[in-house]
């Protein structure tokens, strides 16, 4: 199976993923279709893992992330642009 297919995320325990919007170089953005339940993922030890949030938006309550740390770990720019940075949350 293609690692970027929703089934690969579901096999790793992420049952909510039925849409993968970005998948590149061991990084992905996926979630539930037509919802705000979308998360960044990182390929770790042969499976997708949710990238851990660095905090929570004071405005929305959604998870926010340290995008500089993600960049340092090799996250592609397109993913970084679509990820809420805690500095601006």
């Amino acid at each position: 199976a293609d690692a970027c297919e929703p089934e690969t995320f579901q096999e790793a325990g992420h049952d909510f993923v039925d849409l993968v919007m970005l998948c590149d170089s061991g990084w992905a953005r996926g979630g539930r279709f037509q919802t705000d339940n979308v998360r960044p993922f990182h390929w770790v030890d042969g499976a997708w893992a949710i990238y851990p949030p660095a905090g929570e938006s004071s405005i929305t309550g959604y998870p926010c992330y340290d995008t500089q740390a993600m960049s340092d770990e090799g996250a592609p720019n397109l993913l970084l642009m679509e990820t809420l940075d805690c500095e601006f949350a």
Side-chain angles (χ1 to χ4, degrees), residues 55-65 84-89:
E56 185 177 281
S57 167
S58 60
I59 299 165
T60 64
Y62 294 147
C64 62
Y65 300 85
L84 178 61
D85 188 298
C86 289
E87 183 177 341
F88 306 107

Side-chain angles (χ1 to χ4, degrees), residues 7-71:
E7 294 77 18
T8 307
F9 292 80
Q10 295 164 7
E11 289 167 5
H14 311 294
D15 294 337
F16 70 98
V17 177
D18 60 12
L19 178 68
V20 179
M21 292 156 272
L22 181 147
C23 189
D24 183 28
S25 306
W27 291 85
R29 183 171 185 259
R32 171 96 40 218
F33 180 64
Q34 292 188 335
T35 71
D36 292 329
N37 192 6
V38 174
R39 299 290 180 264
F41 291 86
H42 195 193
W43 188 260
V44 179
D45 296 330
W48 289 111
I50 293 177
Y51 191 85
E56 185 177 281
S57 167
S58 60
I59 299 165
T60 64
Y62 294 147
C64 62
Y65 300 85
D66 181 342
T67 58
Q68 183 59 57
M70 291 173 73
S71 176

